Amino acid sequence: MAAQPTTTSIANGESAKSLADVLVSLGLMDASKAEQVKFAEVQTGKPQEAIIKDQALVDETALTRAKASLYNIPYLDLSSVPVSPEALSTLPQEVALRFKAFPVSMDPLTKEMVVAMADPMDLAAIQFIEQKTGYYAKPHAADPSKIEAMIATGYTTSLAKEVSEALREVPDKDKIITLDASKTGLIREEKVAQIVTHILSFAVKARASDVHIEPQEKATRVRYRIDGILQEKLTTPRELHDALISRIKILSGMKIDEKRVPQDGRFNFKAEDQEVDLRVSTLPTTWGEKVVMRLLRKTGGIPDLSELGLRGRALKNLEDSILRPHGIILITGPTGSGKTTTLYSVIQKINTPRVNIVTLEDPIEYKIAGVNQVQVNPVAGLTFASGLRSFLRQDPNIILVGEIRDQETADLAVQAALTGHLVFSTLHTNDASGALPRLLDMGAEPYLLASSMTAIVGQRVVRKIHEGCKTSYVAQPKVVEEMKGVLGNLWPKGKDNSIYKGKGDVDCGNSGYFGRVAVFEVLPVTEKISRLILERASSAEIETEARNEGMITMKQDGYLKVLEGITTAEEVLRVAQE
């Protein structure tokens, strides 16, 4: 930042806050350290910013936030800002590098451009950017290292060229459109195809599980679900939306002219050494059609139970349960908690030529060699209940039912288990102990349930700390208190208050996380638990008994993983807080 006085005078003669004062008011620095900085400023004549940097009293983000507050300029966190190819094509890369300025967004109507700057007080730089682009620059303060990273990656991976070329071919709304039969579309298809390919290539590279392409009033935003969290990474001009959606609909085998009803489709995409299967869904919204693409990787295989995050007593209990010849094993948790992945891991473990495994799924996410997988088709009359009824005539040893949704499916699953089959299924409940009362509410008979249930697994998915930027720090007393309260005698003896987090770097997209792992609770249905089922006990009573018998809850499993440096306390609270 250009040399600025750390103290400015106000009209009434008082002095305004200094940089150190602002850091204290924002809770980013101790008052005693601020006094040291002011004393050093008087002694050495150096500006406060230089002293704070030299002594590394706060990190870069804290310093940038404080400077933004001091000079009354908006602060921008570039790690959560999408790239606008249109803005990048307007401000050349050499200008961005020269002034450490990154174009975030632009509005062609008001002729305004939001620019993230390392020095938002540099009036000469702002003036130059305005002359170069023809836009009024609205400077925002941002971390210099993040600006450098965005310039390095944004310009090289952006769609600036493709978008600007495709935009040139979008007809002016005021002109009458003449449809030229020699052209395949109003916009040259290869440009739009390149944009779609880029969106999908980035999804594969960023390990995204879903891609959302959403129309809004002035632009189309592209969001990626990475490690379970949606992140906005790209915005494209509104004019290109229809062409993008049409391209995806053609690939997915959907009707292009039908825009009033939701549609489903699928296609394959090859990127470098990976092949992904894409399940595509469209939805008509106020501003146009929204598309969501679910990415299912064909390469990489199904993880082992231990790779998922199961270990110790929980792993042993589940392995003992799946080796039994009959009974019901349920996996519980909300949508997106990795239930299907766990089921596939279990099936993979017990899949041998000596057993006949049939599955009934909606939809089939991964194809497993040697397993008879059936897709639910309600239109044709193939539901979970009707499919399960016909399965029993197929001489199965092991049956997997995607989900127990109603009494009929629940009754059939219980009957199958009682007649010598091993049945796996999922249920949408918050924890393992809640599954039994839910089945009783569905109308399952307590005496049949007590004799057919083998084990119930509850799970959630948390993000893993990125090993490349992992660092330890001393946790706040209230966090330690909460963890000790939950873990009880599981808290390791002699353990200090240090836990881990990720600082954030280029490899993890400045998030501090890379990959995911599950937190589990495995509830084996013992004699005492069976008795509680017969008494129609509440989930709280069942959980208390299970804990007395040694069950580790999801939250306890999560906090043990925090102490080991696998995940953070924030992640555990995000997914497992009651």
Side-chain angles (χ1 to χ4, degrees), residues 354-365:
R354 294 193 298 278
V355 291
N356 176 23
I357 303 175
V358 281
T359 78
L360 191 58
E361 303 171 59
D362 182 22
I364 296 169
E365 294 201 8

Side-chain angles (χ1 to χ4, degrees), residues 179-191:
L179 189 63
D180 186 351
S182 64
K183 288 187 179 177
T184 50
L186 294 170
I187 302 170
R188 284 232 311 282
E189 278 185 5
E190 63 264 30
K191 293 289 168 242

Side-chain angles (χ1 to χ4, degrees), residues 179-244:
L179 189 63
D180 186 351
S182 64
K183 288 187 179 177
T184 50
L186 294 170
I187 302 170
R188 284 232 311 282
E189 278 185 5
E190 63 264 30
K191 293 289 168 242
V192 176
Q194 282 172 10
I195 295 170
V196 173
T197 302
H198 173 88
I199 289 169
L200 293 175
S201 297
F202 183 83
V204 173
K205 215 178 287 178
R207 304 169 294 105
S209 60
D210 300 83
V211 181
H212 294 237
I213 299 175
E214 301 166 309
Q216 293 179 310
E217 189 177 3
K218 292 180 179 174
T220 295
R221 72 172 177 181
V222 181
R223 294 194 291 171
Y224 296 89
R225 192 175 291 283
I226 301 167
D227 293 335
I229 306 291
L230 270 177
Q231 297 178 23
E232 195 174 344
K233 291 286 186 186
L234 186 72
T235 60
T236 61
R238 185 76 185 83
E239 297 88 337
L240 294 183
H241 183 77
D242 289 345
L244 275 178

Side-chain angles (χ1 to χ4, degrees), residues 250-441:
I250 289 167
L251 290 168
S252 314
M254 297 182 199
K255 294 175 183 170
I256 307 175
D257 53 344
E258 184 54 87
K259 299 182 179 184
R260 299 162 301 167
V261 295
Q263 295 186 65
D264 292 305
R266 63 194 306 162
F267 66 97
N268 287 351
F269 176 72
K270 268 188 178 174
E272 295 160 18
D273 56 341
Q274 289 198 56
E275 189 175 350
V276 290
D277 186 12
L278 290 123
R279 286 211 317 269
V280 186
S281 165
T282 68
L283 184 74
T285 69
T286 316
W287 300 111
E289 284 184 287
K290 173 183 171 172
V291 165
V292 175
M293 295 183 277
R294 162 67 57 93
L295 280 78
L296 301 168
R297 280 161 181 76
K298 291 186 173 184
T299 48
I302 298 163
D304 292 336
L305 290 171
S306 55
E307 285 173 40
L308 294 176
L310 266 167
R311 68 257 177 92
R313 190 164 186 166
L315 178 59
K316 187 180 185 310
N317 283 339
L318 183 58
E319 284 180 337
D320 289 348
S321 302
I322 64 179
L323 291 174
R324 286 191 181 182
H326 54 81
I328 299 177
I329 296 171
L330 283 181
I331 316 280
T332 69
T335 304
S337 58
K339 299 188 296 292
T340 308
T341 307
T342 303
L343 277 180
Y344 281 152
S345 296
V346 169
I347 291 294
Q348 183 88 329
K349 188 173 177 66
I350 54 180
N351 180 18
T352 69
R354 294 193 298 278
V355 291
N356 176 23
I357 303 175
V358 281
T359 78
L360 191 58
E361 303 171 59
D362 182 22
I364 296 169
E365 294 201 8
Y366 297 97
K367 292 180 177 67
I368 311 172
V371 175
N372 306 291
Q373 294 172 277
V374 179
Q375 166 87 44
V376 169
N377 188 350
V379 179
L382 178 55
T383 62
F384 282 125
S386 66
L388 190 47
R389 198 175 277 111
S390 59
F391 272 13
L392 297 173
R393 297 192 287 274
Q394 285 283 320
D395 182 33
N397 299 98
I398 295 156
I399 298 170
L400 186 153
V401 187
E403 190 184 336
I404 294 176
R405 294 179 182 170
D406 51 36
Q407 184 183 348
E408 194 181 1
T409 313
D411 287 344
L412 284 163
V414 168
Q415 290 301 329
L418 292 172
T419 52
H421 302 90
L422 185 56
V423 180
F424 293 96
S425 192
T426 69
L427 202 62
H428 286 281
T429 60
N430 286 336
D431 50 27
S433 56
L436 296 164
R438 172 70 56 86
L439 289 170
L440 292 170
D441 290 344

Side-chain angles (χ1 to χ4, degrees), residues 21-38:
D21 293 330
V22 173
L23 281 163
V24 173
S25 67
L26 293 173
L28 301 169
M29 186 190 274
D30 295 336
S32 57
K33 282 184 182 172
E35 289 306 316
Q36 287 173 22
V37 170
K38 288 179 190 174

